[in-house]
Amino acid sequence: MRSTEFTSRTRVAPLPIFLGREQTLNEVAVLCKPRRRPSDLYSTLATISITITRQVFPMSGLFNGTKKHVATYTEPAPTEISSILQGGYHHPLLRQWQNERQLTKSSLIYPLFITDNEDEATPIESLPKQNRWGVKKVVPYVESLVAKGLKAVILFGVPLAEGSKDLYATSADDPNGPVILTIKALRKACPDLFIICDVCMCEYTSHGHCGILREDGSIIREESVRRLAAIAVNYAKAGAHCVAPSDMVDGRVLAIKRGLIDAGLAHNCMLMSYSAKFSGNLYGPFRDAAGSAPSFGDRKCYQLPPSGRGLARRAIIRDLGEGTDAIIVKPSTFYLDIISDAKELAKDVPICTYQVSGEYAMLHAAAEKGVVDLKTIAFEAANGCLRAGATLIISYFTPDFLDWLDEF
Ligand SMILES: NCc1[nH]cc(CCC(=O)O)c1CC(=O)O
């Protein structure tokens, strides 16, 4: 026996060994001898390179004659041409070529929270790396992002002053309020930046709901859409390139479109409707940031129920008929089927999705826990939206993406 030559520390180069039957230590030892490799061991179709160490240990199994499990193979079969895919993505560039839609800087829209204290730059605790900005502080920040390739922002007003909220969202379109002042300041400082204004009442109403209410708490549709349309028109007059109603009151798209036409602004203000906005559990950090949580009840009677795919389809069709120029699906990752429905129903308009505050905060939390890598998961989420059919993404990751996209 040559067994004494082998210990658990024996290191030997990989050798082809026939694995269809059990190896004796003698055979292994023979194989180890340089230039003495019996040709019958090579002629077999089922050969594999392994290390002697891996095959013969534990030694006990071979010495006491117990059977050791060995890997076996089924019969060889010819390779089908259709089985081979990996040639198409073996290179980093090829992996990008597989994308039907590429994430680019012009696909991204950055949400900004603007408050009425012009010098404010306060981090929002539940929304990592995001601030509540005053107009004086937001302008230089946005300028720095434009220098990196930022193309579009969406503005949310957050009035905090005493008495700034009432039943009619009067402060929403106050000419000296945060949104209108910021539209004007950004138009001046960043002439190429595309400025979208979210149109809603919840940040400006004393009760935190998105419309004007009856005594019983339900929304008075007619009065609400007329007020929403006036707010949108005032944003357009101040220079907004796009108004995006997120209130979910029936018929507001039509009212806003009419308002823009009557004001002579329909030709240079886009109307991008949040057509499919769901009343899920993902807006918490936004409501903290904007101070817009309803003081009673919830938004379930106007935002869509999370399983209401049919309702979302009807809302998309309705908004197209009412004159929307683009469709927003919100939230994003949990609603990819809705994005895909929107792409199918609204083939001829841009499809945008909003990766909302809760989605963003969850990804940050998971990254902090070590569950995911932040950059990788941010791209995976964005690419999921693009794959489903969106070409535009409203995302709090935008400043990060502007850096990350430069790395390619
Ligand atoms: N109605 C206003 C509005 N516009 C966008 C969001 C949420 C965005 C986010 O969570 O990032 C909300 C909050 C809400 O509907 O309660």
Side-chain angles (χ1 to χ4, degrees), residues 57 69 109 172 202 220 252 289 306 373 396 402 405:
F57 288 98
H69 178 71
I109 299 167
C202 61
I220 310 171
R252 89 282 204 206
D373 170 69
Y396 300 98
L402 296 177
L405 286 165

Side-chain angles (χ1 to χ4, degrees), residues 303-317:
Q303 297 182 352
L304 301 177
S307 347
R309 186 172 182 179
L311 273 171
R313 291 175 67 92
R314 289 169 62 199
I316 290 165
I317 294 166

Side-chain angles (χ1 to χ4, degrees), residues 201-232:
M201 294 197 212
C202 61
E203 301 104 304
Y204 312 96
T205 49
S206 38
H207 43 64
H209 279 283
C210 303
I212 297 167
L213 302 185
R214 292 188 186 87
E215 296 252 307
D216 67 2
S218 60
I219 285 185
I220 310 171
R221 196 197 70 80
E222 298 78 2
E223 210 175 319
S224 298
V225 299
R226 285 171 47 222
R227 177 76 191 111
L228 288 159
I231 295 169

